[in-house]
């Protein structure tokens, strides 16, 4: 009798334990879902690892863009050529950015490439997100280029951070042929002048 009751009690406590475990698991799953949704922010880029686990073995991966699409981790240097976002840049642009990075570092500024080359898929995602944010494709195109026109997709543009590095490049980038080309993006640089020459007028994407 006693054993019977104690075994039932044990069974009950096992069931209670299982219920707790199930709750913890579902809470964890919920948290992961939220995290991977947040990770879709284009500029945050890097942390796509959480959602990578859920990616199936389909030939073109679903889910948010990852390193293969040009997403770069924080503190990426122009010398990090093992990353597709750097490796697939136009070699002349990459060389210019590397030279600027070295010179900037001597001035005490540590720059990072926040985006270099981007896959068309990545650019499409950015545009889709901007359309959701701004409510129309026309407005979205002021902030995100069309995938067929983006110079990131062709490997001819880099986005540089932090702001101190952007200011440095706006003062000295032309020594390396680098210029800000879009008037509303102080971080966006392209190789558009001869080293030492002045920069051409910027394009205003809002017009
Ligand atoms: Zn850019």
């Amino acid at each position: 009798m006693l054993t019977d009751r104690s075994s039932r009690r044990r069974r009950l406590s096992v069931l209670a334990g299982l219920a707790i475990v199930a709750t913890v698991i579902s809470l964890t799953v919920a948290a992961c879902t939220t995290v991977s949704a947040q990770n879709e922010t284009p500029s945050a880029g890097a942390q796509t690892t959480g959602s990578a686990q859920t990616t199936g073995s389909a030939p073109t991966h679903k889910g948010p863009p990852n390193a293969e699409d040009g997403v770069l981790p924080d503190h990426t240097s122009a010398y990090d050529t093992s990353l597709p976002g750097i490796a697939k840049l136009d070699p002349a642009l990459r060389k210019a950015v590397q030279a600027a990075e070295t010179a900037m570092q001597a001035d005490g500024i540590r720059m990072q490439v926040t985006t270099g080359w981007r896959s068309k898929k990545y650019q499409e995602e950015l545009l889709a997100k901007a359309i959701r944010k701004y409510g129309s494709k026309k407005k979205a195109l002021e902030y995100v280029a069309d995938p067929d026109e983006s110079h990131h997709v062709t490997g001819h543009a880099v986005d540089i951070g932090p702001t101190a590095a952007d200011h440095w490049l706006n003062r000295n980038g032309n020594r390396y042929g680098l210029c800000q080309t879009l008037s509303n993006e102080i971080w966006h640089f392209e190789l558009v002048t001869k080293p030492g020459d002045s920069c051409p007028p910027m394009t205003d994407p809002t017009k």
Side-chain angles (χ1 to χ4, degrees), residues 29-48:
V29 168
C32 288
T33 316
T34 321
V35 165
S36 61
Q38 282 167 350
N39 279 349
E40 282 176 41
T41 14
S43 51
Q47 309 99 348
T48 48

Side-chain angles (χ1 to χ4, degrees), residues 118 120 123 127 137 141 144-157 182 188 190:
R118 281 181 201 138
K120 206 168 166 183
Q123 190 70 27
L127 182 59
K137 187 172 180 181
L141 285 172
V144 179
D146 188 282
D148 288 324
E149 287 168 20
S150 169
H151 292 184
H152 285 286
V153 173
T154 62
H156 289 89
L182 304 172
H188 179 102
E190 301 186 27

Side-chain angles (χ1 to χ4, degrees), residues 18-86:
L18 282 175
I20 289 167
V21 168
T23 313
V24 167
I25 287 175
S26 61
L27 282 175
T28 312
V29 168
C32 288
T33 316
T34 321
V35 165
S36 61
Q38 282 167 350
N39 279 349
E40 282 176 41
T41 14
S43 51
Q47 309 99 348
T48 48
T49 32
S51 46
Q53 300 163 348
T54 55
T55 306
S57 53
T60 42
H61 77 90
K62 288 186 177 161
N66 61 24
E68 292 306 308
D69 294 298
V71 174
L72 297 174
D74 285 345
H75 310 299
T76 293
S77 150
Y79 291 97
D80 289 336
T81 50
S82 61
L83 300 167
I86 300 295

Side-chain angles (χ1 to χ4, degrees), residues 113-127:
V113 182
T114 53
T115 315
W117 166 86
R118 281 181 201 138
S119 73
K120 206 168 166 183
K121 171 200 159 86
Y122 187 1
Q123 190 70 27
E124 279 163 0
E125 287 254 347
L126 292 180
L127 182 59

Side-chain angles (χ1 to χ4, degrees), residues 1-15:
M1 201 63 175
L2 260 179
T3 25
D4 221 65
R5 200 180 299 155
S6 71
S7 83
R8 194 191 301 152
R9 202 180 300 147
R10 211 176 303 134
R11 219 178 304 139
L12 281 175
S13 68
V14 167
L15 282 175

